[in-house]
């Protein structure tokens, strides 16, 4: 390892990821130049810098995506500045594990061409037809990710009093914009995407507290790799969109006041500013250690669920 001029660079035995360890990052070193000796504003800005960059990265990716064309829900879409690259089609956005659609082999990114032999016009009409058909078997003509067309038979089941097959549909088309509009659209999409991620976390926590279970699937590293792989098969613009959403999800998770994450450290800095004194270092470190262990256990559980879903 070499120290130059005040940064220690090292090569570690396990080449997994990377890390930045700031001098006095726990705030217990008042020496000049250490993190603990910096002002409230500088410490808070340093802690949230990673979260901000996650959002900026998402905005850049989405901006580039809008320059070349990004998948967009065309339901009610009306923007004269947009250039339609691909006309909208009824596309499967999500498949509920264990549902009739999942058991029939339907997957994310496939297009529904016909419903009981009749061409489909919109996602809403497909959903309405499923509800109107009750529990009668139905046939969907589906176009796969590589262009093959097949017929899939499945029978709806009643969920919350309504016949469902377990898919989320959208009228997905591909649109692009001139570069000067695409930059603005990318930034706007990143902000709205971040808000939607926070709403999703709220609904997830709410349902868990009410004992309703998971409202939607939660993925770990294995699940993310699978999602990226599926996006890659759909095209480069889908990879951009998926990567942007992963970056926004990381930003949202890291800024939450969870011990061991950036949001947890920012929370203690803000509390210190409000009360006028710092929590004893040993207690803060203990809280962060507990949060770190809890996160590791959660990652293990979610990763196991991801692997089990692949088997």
């Amino acid at each position: 390892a070499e120290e130059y001029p005040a940064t220690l660079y090292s090569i570690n035995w396990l080449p997994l990821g990377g890390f930045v360890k700031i001098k006095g990052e726990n705030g217990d070193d008042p020496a000049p130049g250490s993190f603990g000796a910096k002002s409230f504003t500088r410490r808070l800005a340093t802690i949230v810098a990673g979260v901000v960059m996650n959002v900026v990265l998402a905005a850049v990716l989405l901006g580039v995506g809008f320059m070349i064309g990004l998948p967009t829900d065309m339901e009610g879409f009306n923007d004269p500045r947009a250039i339609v690259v691909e006309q909208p089609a009824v596309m499967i956005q999500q498949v509920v594990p264990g549902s009739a659609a999942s058991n029939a082999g339907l997957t994310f990114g496939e297009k529904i061409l016909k419903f009981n032999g009749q061409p489909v016009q919109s996602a809403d009409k497909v959903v309405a037809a499923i509800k109107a058909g009750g529990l009668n078997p139905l046939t969907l003509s589906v176009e796969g990710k590589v262009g093959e067309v097949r017929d899939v038979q499945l029978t709806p089941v009643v969920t919350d009093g309504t016949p469902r097959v377990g898919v989320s549909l959208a009228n997905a088309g591909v649109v692009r914009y001139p570069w000067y509009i695409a930059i603005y659209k990318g930034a706007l999409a990143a902000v709205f995407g971040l808000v939607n991620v926070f709403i999703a976390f709220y609904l997830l926590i709410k349902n868990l507290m009410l004992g309703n279970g998971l409202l939607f699937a939660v993925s770990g590293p294995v699940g993310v790799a699978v999602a990226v792989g599926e996006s890659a098969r759909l095209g480069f613009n889908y990879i951009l969109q998926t990567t942007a959403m992963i970056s926004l999800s990381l930003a949202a998770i890291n800024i939450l006041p969870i011990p061991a994450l950036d949001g947890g450290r920012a929370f203690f800095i803000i509390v210190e500013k409000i009360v006028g004194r710092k929590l004893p270092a040993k207690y803060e470190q203990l809280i962060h250690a507990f949060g770190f262990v809890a996160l590791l256990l959660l990652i293990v559980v979610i990763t196991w669920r991801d692997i089990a879903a692949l088997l």
Side-chain angles (χ1 to χ4, degrees):
E2 180 182 357
E3 189 171 354
Y4 176 82
T7 301
L8 179 67
Y9 299 92
S10 63
I11 298 177
N12 302 299
W13 283 107
L14 297 177
L16 301 176
F19 68 91
V20 176
K21 184 176 178 62
I22 303 174
K23 178 183 178 181
E25 64 181 8
N26 293 324
D28 53 358
D29 185 0
S34 70
F35 181 75
K38 299 300 180 180
S39 65
F40 163 78
T41 303
R42 289 192 174 186
R43 283 185 293 154
L44 188 61
T46 301
I47 290 297
V48 302
V51 173
V52 173
M53 286 309 300
N54 276 129
V55 179
V56 171
L57 173 61
V60 171
L61 292 175
L62 292 172
V64 172
F66 277 123
M67 292 181 195
I68 63 177
L70 272 188
T72 304
D73 188 351
M74 304 292 282
E75 184 70 30
F77 183 83
N78 183 21
D79 189 342
R81 300 170 299 178
I83 302 169
V84 179
V85 180
E86 291 183 16
Q87 292 297 324
V90 178
M91 180 175 288
I92 298 175
Q93 299 293 298
Q94 185 179 12
V95 179
V96 178
S99 65
S102 176
N103 295 334
L106 296 179
T107 60
F108 160 76
E110 294 185 312
K111 298 177 182 178
I112 299 179
L113 305 179
K114 294 181 180 180
F115 182 95
N116 287 339
Q118 299 298 318
V120 300
Q121 297 177 335
S122 69
D124 289 342
K125 290 187 177 180
V126 172
V127 174
I130 293 174
K131 293 180 179 178
L135 302 182
N136 295 317
L138 55 91
T139 301
L140 299 177
S141 292
V142 180
E143 180 181 340
K145 301 181 181 68
V146 294
E148 79 283 5
V149 178
R150 70 187 192 282
D151 288 338
V152 176
Q153 294 183 339
L154 61 165
T155 302
V157 296
V158 176
T159 305
D160 297 329
T162 303
R164 304 179 189 274
V165 296
V167 294
S168 174
L169 305 175
N171 297 320
V174 177
V175 301
R176 66 179 180 87
Y177 292 89
W179 68 268
Y180 52 90
I181 299 178
I183 295 174
Y184 159 74
K185 284 288 186 178
L188 193 63
V191 172
F192 280 109
L194 185 62
V195 172
N196 286 331
V197 171
F198 278 124
I199 293 175
F201 278 134
Y202 165 74
L203 294 175
L204 176 65
I205 296 172
K206 176 184 175 181
N207 277 270
L208 288 175
M209 293 181 65
L210 295 177
N212 296 330
L214 293 176
L215 183 64
F216 44 82
V218 179
S219 295
V222 174
V224 169
V226 172
V228 172
E230 292 179 344
S231 299
R233 286 191 289 272
L234 293 175
F236 180 67
N237 49 3
Y238 282 87
I239 294 180
L240 287 177
Q241 196 170 49
T242 300
T243 305
M245 290 310 300
I246 292 174
S247 186
L248 291 175
S249 297
L250 290 174
I253 293 174
N254 272 325
I255 202 58
L256 292 176
I258 300 175
L261 297 182
D262 291 338
R265 296 185 181 278
F267 174 77
F268 283 111
I269 293 175
I270 294 172
V271 169
E272 175 189 344
K273 179 68 174 179
I274 294 175
V275 301
R277 61 187 179 88
K278 179 178 174 56
L279 181 72
K282 62 178 182 179
Y283 295 120
E284 183 176 340
Q285 293 174 11
L286 183 63
I287 293 173
H288 286 311
F290 175 79
F292 181 71
V293 172
L295 286 173
L296 285 180
L297 291 175
L298 182 61
I299 291 174
V300 170
V301 172
I302 294 176
T303 301
W304 172 252
R305 284 165 52 98
D306 289 341
I307 294 175
L310 297 176
L311 300 178

